[in-house]
Amino acid sequence: MPTKVRKKIIRIQRNFLWGGASGEKNKIPWVSWKDVCRPKVDGGLGVKDLLLFNVSLLAKWRWCLLVEDGSLWKKVLEAKYGRVGRLILPLNRRNYFSLWWKDLVCLGGALGGLGDWTQEVFVKKVGNGGATRFWLDVWVGREPLSVTFPRLFKVSLQPNLSVLDMGVWENDTWFWRLKWRRSFFAWEDELLAKLLETIESVQI
């Protein structure tokens, strides 16, 4: 939500509270807006903070996109915006997206912050890895492995496989089976070592 919009929402609430239905201006606010929005049990007036309320509803939508599969409303969004059941939602450069979708994608900046804070609070349990794409989903670290290791992703023979399909169980021990288009250059061996170090920290 843009800063100007946030300020306008707060101003409308403040003017109504202190100016009444008549909308009288230049009234002196005797209590800070932060205290006004506190619950009554905490000494506030219990006025709902519409900004935080809006952010919480958007966060709930983001959560539903991740966990609700097969629903009609999600299929409609995927037909318009592509794959939406993921942590990172890119904003299409085309101009047909709605304002609601833009707010949903830009949720990280809704409170004036940087980045997408939902990636800090939404945790995905990998389980056996069958529902998680190895390269394209965020399942280890804070971004897809295709972004962290773009060079390795380009030479992978398994760009769309799930985590489960990238290895095998042998005697109750998990072994990664990564396949490549060609042999690595010497400097690429360091990237591979970093990749293996990263993924071996996750228990499948």
Side-chain angles (χ1 to χ4, degrees):
M1 184 183 299
T3 303
K4 292 183 179 180
V5 176
R6 295 201 307 271
K7 291 182 178 180
K8 186 175 182 179
I9 290 175
I10 295 175
R11 186 167 61 252
I12 291 174
Q13 284 186 282
R14 184 184 290 117
N15 290 342
F16 180 80
L17 177 65
W18 301 118
S22 60
E24 296 181 30
K25 298 182 179 180
N26 300 322
K27 291 284 187 175
I28 299 176
W30 295 102
V31 182
S32 70
W33 189 249
K34 184 178 180 179
D35 291 332
V36 168
C37 294
R38 292 181 190 275
K40 292 182 180 180
V41 295
D42 295 332
L45 298 181
V47 175
K48 181 176 293 185
D49 189 325
L50 293 183
L51 171 60
L52 294 179
F53 185 69
N54 179 62
V55 169
S56 65
L57 289 179
L58 290 173
K60 184 177 180 180
W61 277 112
R62 287 288 293 271
W63 177 253
C64 289
L65 287 176
L66 292 173
V67 300
E68 293 188 15
D69 294 325
S71 57
L72 180 59
W73 66 271
K74 185 173 180 179
K75 292 180 179 179
V76 172
L77 291 177
E78 289 182 335
K80 187 172 184 179
Y81 301 113
R83 185 169 177 269
V84 298
R86 51 185 174 176
L87 280 177
I88 301 176
L89 296 176
L91 194 61
N92 198 307
R93 294 182 179 179
R94 288 173 285 185
N95 296 322
Y96 66 74
F97 54 80
S98 66
L99 293 178
W100 171 81
W101 181 255
K102 183 177 181 180
D103 285 344
L104 199 65
V105 173
C106 302
L107 185 57
L111 294 176
L114 298 176
D116 190 346
W117 56 267
T118 58
Q119 297 183 52
E120 301 290 337
V121 297
F122 291 171
V123 178
K124 182 173 185 178
K125 186 175 181 180
V126 178
N128 67 1
T132 303
R133 295 182 298 176
F134 180 87
W135 288 106
L136 303 177
D137 289 334
V138 180
W139 63 279
V140 58
R142 304 177 69 176
E143 59 185 5
L145 291 176
S146 61
V147 176
T148 307
F149 302 96
R151 182 75 177 188
L152 298 181
F153 176 63
K154 290 181 179 179
V155 298
S156 174
L157 286 171
Q158 307 152 298
N160 297 306
L161 294 188
S162 68
V163 174
L164 178 61
D165 295 328
M166 297 290 281
V168 294
W169 285 100
E170 294 181 2
N171 299 324
D172 296 330
T173 302
W174 177 260
F175 293 94
W176 293 104
R177 293 290 186 264
L178 308 183
K179 299 178 182 179
W180 313 100
R181 300 181 186 277
R182 58 170 174 78
S183 300
F184 289 119
F185 298 114
W187 64 274
E188 291 175 327
D189 287 332
E190 297 181 6
L191 291 177
L192 178 59
K194 290 181 180 179
L195 171 62
L196 294 176
E197 181 182 356
T198 300
I199 63 178
E200 287 175 355
S201 64
V202 179
Q203 182 177 0
I204 306 299

